[in-house]
Amino acid sequence: LAACSSGADPAAYPEDDIDIIVPFSAGGPTDTVTRMIAEPMSQELGVQLVVQNVDGAGGTVGAGQAATAEPDGYTVLMHHIGMSTAPALYDDLAYDPIADFKPVGLVTEVPMTIVGSSDFEPTTFEEFVSHVQENADTVTMAHAGEGSASNLCGLLLMDALGVEVTAVPYDGTGPAMAELVGGQVDFMCDQTTNTTGQIEAGEVKAYAVTTPERIEALPDLPTTAEGGQPGIEVSVWHGLYVPAETPDEVVTELTDALQVALADQTVVDQMADLGTAPVAADQATPEAHATLLQEQTETWGDIIGAGQGG
Ligand code: MLT
């Protein structure tokens, strides 16, 4: 971990490297987006943002570690919609996503795709739906643990199809993708930042995208709504966080560096190639991030709570 800087002087911040926690395995979509922005943020801040993959339990282990880190600006968390869903999925969550953190700003909102191993029988999305409904007891679905976006999409999918398939958890959808390509698991709902390359390379079958409209990066991929399943609609918003007691002047330094990174043409191009885009500058702010986090935590609390008969 980067040198601890307890007792650091906020006015001189940053003086040391900064740890940025990714709560999922290396090589997955959250890791990919983090490494895209870490480079230009490091240049802007004049120190190195050091990515630390702290995986497990659908992102809640890494988020929990960030919540209790020194509030000196030298530990930042990259997390996504799972920040809002975890409280409804875990009775004993070690952190409060709102009380224990300060939002730094939103980063990107990533579409999801339903993809299958190349030897999974269905070819079209309609065939996928009927195959899963008729063979739910033998079909396997990969995800990155309770609280992950791939798990959330899986819950929406099983609810829409009215079936329970065997869910296979991984510490991130980086390793899950390796097993999907290898045919060890049948399908997965995962972010375009992890699936676009494999779809274009023909390593996996692509069935649908979970956005209301088709996306530019995968123009031939129909939406779930086109396939008769409008209920499977979710995009994965990502944001940066610091521990709640972190001084505001430190947050401002990080927000400013984030905004520079999101305007960096290399970042814009890399995100476009992977089916996503930086948020607008007015969304890469603590205020916009706090508003979305509050609203999403309430919304998913209601949806998941209802789904659990809560
Ligand atoms: C998720 O499903 O939440 C992500 O795919 C996890 C990851 O980035 O690996």
Side-chain angles (χ1 to χ4, degrees):
L1 291 176
C4 283
S5 306
S6 53
D9 171 8
Y13 178 85
E15 298 170 284
D16 287 316
D17 289 350
I18 297 166
D19 287 325
I20 183 162
I21 292 177
V22 170
F24 296 100
S25 315
T30 311
D31 186 66
T32 297
V33 166
T34 305
R35 292 175 194 274
M36 275 183 200
I37 65 170
E39 185 47 45
M41 284 186 73
S42 298
Q43 283 168 20
E44 182 65 18
L45 290 164
V47 297
Q48 199 57 40
L49 260 69
V50 182
V51 174
Q52 304 289 349
N53 297 94
V54 181
D55 57 26
T60 58
V61 171
Q65 180 169 313
T68 56
E70 276 287 313
D72 56 10
Y74 292 96
T75 302
V76 177
L77 170 69
M78 165 71 89
H79 204 351
H80 58 34
I81 194 170
M83 200 66 155
S84 281
T85 60
L89 294 167
Y90 291 85
D91 295 335
D92 56 353
L93 196 61
Y95 58 89
D96 178 318
I98 293 167
D100 292 340
F101 295 92
K102 266 185 186 165
V104 170
L106 294 170
V107 176
T108 183
E109 184 166 3
V110 186
M112 300 194 85
T113 50
I114 300 172
V115 291
S117 74
S118 50
D119 53 15
F120 192 42
E121 191 182 310
T123 301
T124 67
F125 182 53
E126 288 80 356
E127 289 169 1
F128 168 87
V129 167
S130 48
H131 180 87
V132 169
Q133 285 174 325
E134 288 153 20
N135 303 279
D137 52 343
T138 58
V139 168
T140 54
M141 174 186 75
H143 64 90
E146 282 229 279
S148 68
S150 44
N151 174 255
L152 176 64
C153 184
L155 293 175
L156 296 176
L157 186 148
M158 288 191 280
D159 186 59
L161 271 51
V163 295
E164 286 276 324
V165 299
T166 301
V168 182
Y170 296 79
D171 285 331
T173 51
M177 179 57 83
E179 295 218 338
L180 186 73
V181 169
Q184 283 98 324
V185 65
D186 288 329
F187 80 91
M188 169 163 77
C189 181
D190 192 23
Q191 298 167 68
T192 57
T193 36
N194 195 34
T195 60
T196 303
Q198 301 289 4
I199 293 170
E200 288 170 344
E203 291 290 334
V204 295
K205 288 179 178 175
Y207 297 114
V209 64
T210 63
T211 41
E213 304 297 328
R214 294 193 182 200
I215 60 172
E216 218 172 294
L218 297 164
D220 302 332
L221 193 57
T223 65
T224 47
E226 284 178 78
Q229 297 296 337
I232 312 173
E233 185 178 308
V234 61
S235 289
V236 187
W237 54 273
H238 295 65
L240 292 181
Y241 302 83
V242 289
E245 302 306 314
T246 305
D248 288 339
E249 59 260 56
V250 167
V251 176
T252 301
E253 289 278 340
L254 289 167
T255 303
D256 291 351
L258 170 62
Q259 298 207 351
V260 168
L262 296 180
D264 182 292
Q265 194 55 49
T266 304
V267 170
V268 172
D269 294 346
Q270 286 174 337
M271 286 193 175
D273 289 345
L274 295 180
T276 192
V279 297
D282 67 355
Q283 295 301 301
T285 64
E287 299 73 22
H289 187 176
T291 301
L292 183 68
L293 176 64
Q294 178 74 39
E295 179 266 317
Q296 285 276 292
T297 304
E298 288 166 6
T299 299
W300 289 108
D302 294 343
I303 292 171
I304 294 169
Q308 290 172 343

